[in-house]
Amino acid sequence: MADRPRFFDDLAGVAGGAFSALAGAREEVSALIRTRVDEVLASLNLVRREEFDVVRDLATRARIGQEDAEARLAALESRITALEQPHTPQNHYGA
């Protein structure tokens, strides 16, 4: 009877070691898969979401700047056109 509890203790120890080994193997496999997926994504020349968002924000700001510049240019062109109109002097003597 004295061997029986020791047997179960040994069995529990082996099972605990096996679970620890499986957990370590699981983490290692996950790390390998993550690494492999990153390699595949890098080879496909894909961009990460963060990079895409930054470029999209830059493009939005550039578009707004371009629209502002176009509006200013149109205003300047209309002022130039107005200044280039032939100026007819007015006669103040009623003639």
Side-chain angles (χ1 to χ4, degrees):
M1 269 327 233
D3 289 334
R4 206 154 206 218
R6 180 154 172 85
F7 172 75
F8 287 120
D9 288 342
D10 290 344
L11 186 60
V14 169
F19 285 128
S20 294
L22 287 175
R26 179 176 171 260
E27 290 174 14
E28 191 172 326
V29 167
S30 293
L32 288 172
I33 289 172
R34 251 183 270 118
T35 301
R36 187 64 183 138
V37 167
D38 286 343
E39 289 172 358
V40 169
L41 291 177
S43 70
L44 293 175
N45 293 326
L46 299 175
V47 295
R48 296 199 180 278
R49 182 65 190 200
E50 296 83 19
E51 295 169 343
F52 174 79
D53 289 341
V54 168
V55 171
R56 184 183 59 196
D57 290 344
L58 287 173
T60 299
R61 280 188 254 140
R63 185 174 1 98
I64 291 169
Q66 179 184 0
E67 291 169 356
D68 290 345
E70 288 174 353
R72 290 176 61 203
L73 179 62
L76 289 172
E77 287 175 339
S78 69
R79 286 178 64 190
I80 290 171
T81 302
L83 291 172
E84 289 177 341
Q85 293 296 324
H87 185 68
T88 57
Q90 294 189 2
N91 189 347
H92 295 288
Y93 299 111

